């Protein structure tokens, strides 16, 4: 794929899918749409400069985000400047076709993650995905030759990927040496010369993560090991227990050579149980198909396969509501309050029961529990947002005041992701808390990312007076590029002449941020979007 094609595809993918699959950057997407041609031209011009040092890449911000399988499990998500992300994606797209050709063929039904096949809407083959992996895993588990299944995944996969191993693999499959050197230099720049780790949450990194496993997949094939893989999750299908252990040892040793290792907490060997989905473990309560717990398990699986912690709220079907009508919410809340560490399922159950029973007065108690057990916070907030029409105003006000107090007391200062989740709630018109959002804008320090501030600034759009904006804009000079773009966006609250004068005053300070500079120029020329 040539540079022009790659740049156009990279920008189209950002517009369609966003800058990240973890964070939200809606203002940047609007600016990219508005200035698309200039944005693409800038990407191509900078990538032609001949050295990463001259291509104007910026350092990355990192944000700890909760994962969905264990209560205290986090990933380090990357917040990449949109111009840098577009250049990174363009760079990788130029050789993504060749990478795909070097991977184990789709026809082998072995590797199911991120098969490069752009079709004008999607970047990856939509038929080869997590669901297809599960189906293939089930098929192999049910074969007569399979007696034992090894389930394992790679510990801290993206963080532990060896950058030089990616470089060697790309060169070995015939990728243009110049493009390989650019990729290597960029990843080393972002890792601060640590030689390992690629940024999480974007399409380009997904392609490079697959590059990192090409040799390992080919090794397993050469050893006649029957397996399937989705990203860093492996399943091995062995004819006996000794073979299962031998295969797991071979995989472990091969990973060691590349500086990777299995996550021991998630590694197990189990007997293949026929006529049953091998990805689903039996639980005592599964025998009662109508229990509330069983209903919630089904919902959890639908939202993410084997996820144990659900970040998004889904209401059970109406015919399942009866299972929640008989739950004594007060007793369940007392149990949760008395426990040292509560199971997410316990939080999930009382949230659903409170809605079905219309016990909205219990929501504030659940809010307090989720302010301690933070792995329930995203789910609870998503429920509040999706059900704002049904929750009485009194309870909504009480809950928003509760979260406002937490923000004002800086209770969540070091929990950037959770601060941002609360900011999303307090940005909604039914839970709106201007004072708390302004506080989030003013409070970021050098020890945390500015993501919560970014979300708060978006929440203040069209909700500020001129006087309030003038107060907030005093923070412009100390803000990062993400915050500056949002402050310029917020400046629409000013009268036109005053806004234009301010845009002229700050123009020199945003000259290195293409999107912000173009936006400021449009304000000066009375062409603001």
């Amino acid at each position: 794929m040539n540079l022009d094609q790659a740049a156009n595809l990279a920008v189209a993918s950002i517009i369609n899918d966003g800058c990240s699959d973890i964070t939200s950057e809606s203002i940047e997407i609007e600016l990219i749409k508005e200035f698309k041609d200039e944005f693409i031209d800038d990407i191509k011009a900078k990538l032609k400069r001949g050295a990463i040092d001259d291509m104007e890449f910026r350092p990355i911000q990192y944000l700890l985000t909760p994962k969905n399988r264990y209560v205290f499990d986090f990933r380090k998500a990357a917040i990449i400047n949109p111009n840098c992300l577009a250049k990174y994606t363009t760079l990788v797209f130029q050789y993504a076709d060749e990478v795909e050709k070097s991977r184990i063929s789709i026809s082998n039904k072995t590797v199911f993650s991120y098969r490069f096949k752009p079709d004008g809407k999607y970047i990856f083959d939509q038929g080869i995905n997590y669901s297809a992996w599960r189906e293939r895993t089930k098929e192999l588990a049910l074969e007569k030759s399979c007696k034992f299944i090894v389930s394992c995944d790679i510990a801290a996969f993206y963080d532990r990927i060896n950058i030089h191993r990616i470089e060697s693999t790309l060169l070995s499959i015939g990728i243009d040496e110049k493009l390989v050197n650019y990729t290597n230099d960029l990843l080393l720049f972002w890792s601060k010369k640590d030689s390992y780790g690629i940024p999480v949450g974007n399409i380009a990194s997904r392609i490079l993560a697959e590059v990192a496993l090409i040799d390992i997949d080919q090794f397993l094939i050469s050893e006649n090991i029957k397996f399937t893989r989705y990203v860093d999750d492996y399943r091995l299908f062995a004819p006996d227990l000794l073979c299962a252990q031998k295969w797991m040892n071979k995989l472990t040793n091969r990973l060691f050579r590349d500086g990777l290792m299995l996550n021991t907490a998630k590694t197990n060997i189990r007997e293949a149980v026929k006529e049953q989905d091998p990805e689903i473990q039996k639980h005592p309560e599964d025998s009662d198909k109508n229990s509330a717990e069983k209903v919630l398990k089904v919902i959890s699986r639908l939202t993410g396969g084997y996820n144990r912690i659900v970040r998004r709220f889904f209401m059970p079907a109406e015919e399942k509501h009866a299972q929640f009508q008989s739950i004594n919410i007060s007793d369940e809340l007392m149990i949760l309050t008395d426990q040292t560490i509560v199971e997410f399922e316990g939080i999930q159950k009382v949230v659903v029961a409170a809605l079905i029973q219309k016990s909205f007065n219990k929501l504030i108690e659940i809010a307090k529990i989720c302010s301690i057990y933070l792995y329930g916070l995203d789910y609870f907030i998503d429920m509040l947002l999706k059900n704002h029409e049904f929750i009485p105003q009194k309870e909504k006000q009480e809950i928003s005041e509760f979260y406002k107090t937490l923000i004002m007391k800086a209770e969540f200062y070091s929990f950037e992701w959770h601060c941002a989740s609360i900011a999303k709630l307090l940005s909604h018109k039914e839970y709106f808390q201007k004072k708390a959002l302004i506080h989030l804008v003013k409070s970021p320090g050098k020890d945390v990312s500015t993501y919560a501030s970014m979300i708060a600034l978006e929440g203040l759009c069209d909700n500020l007076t001129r006087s309030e904006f003038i107060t907030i804009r005093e923070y412009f000079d100390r803000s990062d590029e993400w915050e500056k773009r949002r402050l310029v966006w917020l400046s629409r609250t000013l009268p036109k002449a005053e806004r234009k004068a301010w845009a002229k005053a700050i123009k020199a300070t945003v000259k290195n941020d293409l999107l912000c500079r173009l936006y400021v120029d449009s304000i000066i020329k009375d062409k603001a979007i």
Side-chain angles (χ1 to χ4, degrees), residues 373-401:
Y373 304 105
L374 297 180
Y375 41 86
L377 184 66
D378 286 351
Y379 175 80
F380 182 63
I381 285 179
D382 194 46
M383 181 280 295
L384 293 173
L385 292 171
K386 288 177 176 175
N387 292 276
H388 67 86
E389 294 179 4
F390 310 109
I391 301 172
Q393 187 59 40
K394 175 178 176 294
E395 277 71 24
K396 285 188 288 194
Q397 185 64 31
E398 186 177 15
I399 289 167
S400 68
E401 287 290 341

Side-chain angles (χ1 to χ4, degrees), residues 441-470:
V441 174
K442 293 179 177 180
S443 61
K446 292 182 179 179
D447 56 334
V448 296
S449 75
T450 56
Y451 186 58
S453 173
M454 289 161 51
I455 298 299
L457 284 166
E458 290 183 17
L460 290 168
C461 287
D462 302 321
N463 288 303
L464 287 177
T465 65
R466 173 183 172 276
S467 177
E468 288 166 338
F469 172 73
I470 289 173

Side-chain angles (χ1 to χ4, degrees), residues 3 25-26 39 48 140 160-161 178-179 186 188 193 196 202 217 268 282 298 304 361 399 406 458 465 468 481 486 521:
L3 178 60
E25 298 90 0
S26 58
F39 190 66
K48 289 177 180 177
L140 293 176
R160 298 305 310 171
I161 289 176
K178 180 176 66 175
L179 296 177
L186 175 59
L188 287 172
K193 305 294 183 181
Y196 58 86
N202 61 84
D217 290 340
N268 67 76
K282 277 191 173 182
V298 171
N361 61 319
I399 289 167
L406 290 181
E458 290 183 17
T465 65
E468 288 166 338
E481 291 178 336
R486 282 154 180 76
D521 283 342

Side-chain angles (χ1 to χ4, degrees), residues 60-78:
I60 294 176
Q61 282 194 62
Y62 289 100
L63 173 70
L64 277 183
T65 63
K67 296 175 76 172
N68 294 341
R69 200 165 185 188
Y70 296 96
V71 295
F72 301 118
D73 199 8
F74 294 86
R75 65 163 57 89
K76 189 175 70 171

Side-chain angles (χ1 to χ4, degrees), residues 248-265:
M248 186 173 70
N249 285 346
K250 284 180 178 289
L251 174 58
T252 301
N253 285 329
R254 185 60 185 80
L255 289 170
F256 273 147
R257 284 173 52 189
D258 285 2
L260 301 169
M261 62 181 65
L262 293 178
N263 187 330
T264 55

Side-chain angles (χ1 to χ4, degrees), residues 20 47 110 156 172 194 198 225 306 423 429 472 481 487 489-490:
S20 166
L47 287 177
T110 301
S172 72
D194 278 345
I198 63 175
I225 295 173
Y306 50 57
K429 64 180 181 179
I472 290 177
E481 291 178 336
L487 286 167
W489 192 276
L490 281 169

Side-chain angles (χ1 to χ4, degrees), residues 150-378:
V150 178
S151 299
C152 52
D153 69 12
I154 301 171
F157 176 46
Y158 273 69
D159 291 334
R160 298 305 310 171
I161 289 176
N162 187 297
I163 294 170
H164 298 299
R165 183 66 66 182
I166 290 177
E167 177 188 24
S168 299
T169 301
L170 289 174
L171 289 172
S172 72
I173 63 178
I175 304 302
D176 186 318
E177 186 175 354
K178 180 176 66 175
L179 296 177
V180 175
N181 289 338
Y182 290 162
T183 303
N184 190 62
D185 290 346
L186 175 59
L187 294 177
L188 287 172
F189 167 68
W190 275 341
S191 72
K192 298 180 174 62
K193 305 294 183 181
D194 278 345
S195 297
Y196 58 86
I198 63 175
V200 174
N202 61 84
I203 287 173
S205 288
R206 292 189 196 111
I207 294 170
L208 293 182
E210 295 299 322
V211 170
L213 295 177
I214 286 176
D215 287 347
I216 293 170
D217 290 340
Q218 291 176 345
F219 165 78
L220 295 178
I221 292 287
S222 70
E223 292 291 320
N224 296 315
I225 295 173
K226 185 176 285 189
F227 75 100
T228 61
R229 178 175 68 79
Y230 184 81
V231 192
D232 62 337
D233 271 330
Y234 283 89
R235 298 293 180 268
L236 316 181
F237 306 91
D240 56 62
L241 182 58
L242 185 61
C243 185
Q245 295 174 80
K246 181 173 70 174
W247 286 0
M248 186 173 70
N249 285 346
K250 284 180 178 289
L251 174 58
T252 301
N253 285 329
R254 185 60 185 80
L255 289 170
F256 273 147
R257 284 173 52 189
D258 285 2
L260 301 169
M261 62 181 65
L262 293 178
N263 187 330
T264 55
K266 300 179 185 178
T267 299
N268 67 76
I269 301 176
R270 64 178 183 272
E271 189 174 1
V273 180
K274 308 306 179 181
E275 306 305 326
Q276 180 183 321
D277 187 338
E279 291 299 304
I280 300 174
Q281 300 292 325
K282 277 191 173 182
H283 293 275
E285 64 268 21
D286 285 353
S287 59
D288 181 2
K289 293 183 179 181
N290 293 318
S291 69
E293 289 81 4
K294 178 65 176 179
V295 173
L296 294 175
K297 284 184 185 299
V298 171
I299 291 175
S300 295
R301 289 165 190 155
L302 290 174
T303 61
Y306 50 57
N307 289 348
R308 297 177 185 176
I309 298 171
V310 182
R311 304 291 171 191
R312 294 173 294 152
F313 175 82
F314 291 93
M315 190 66 145
E318 190 170 351
E319 62 268 21
K320 301 295 184 181
H321 287 193
Q323 283 73 43
F324 297 88
Q325 289 286 3
S326 60
I327 292 174
N328 188 313
I329 299 174
S330 295
D331 287 350
E332 293 290 338
L333 288 172
M334 188 174 298
I335 292 171
L336 293 177
T337 303
D338 289 342
Q339 289 178 339
T340 304
I341 301 292
V342 308
E343 293 290 335
F344 171 76
E345 188 180 82
I347 295 172
Q348 190 181 17
K349 183 165 63 173
V350 294
V351 169
V352 174
L355 279 182
I356 289 174
Q357 296 180 30
K358 295 183 171 56
S359 297
F360 300 114
N361 61 319
K362 300 295 185 182
L363 293 179
I364 188 63
E365 294 181 57
I366 300 173
K368 291 175 180 177
I369 289 171
C370 290
S371 71
I372 299 171
Y373 304 105
L374 297 180
Y375 41 86
L377 184 66
D378 286 351

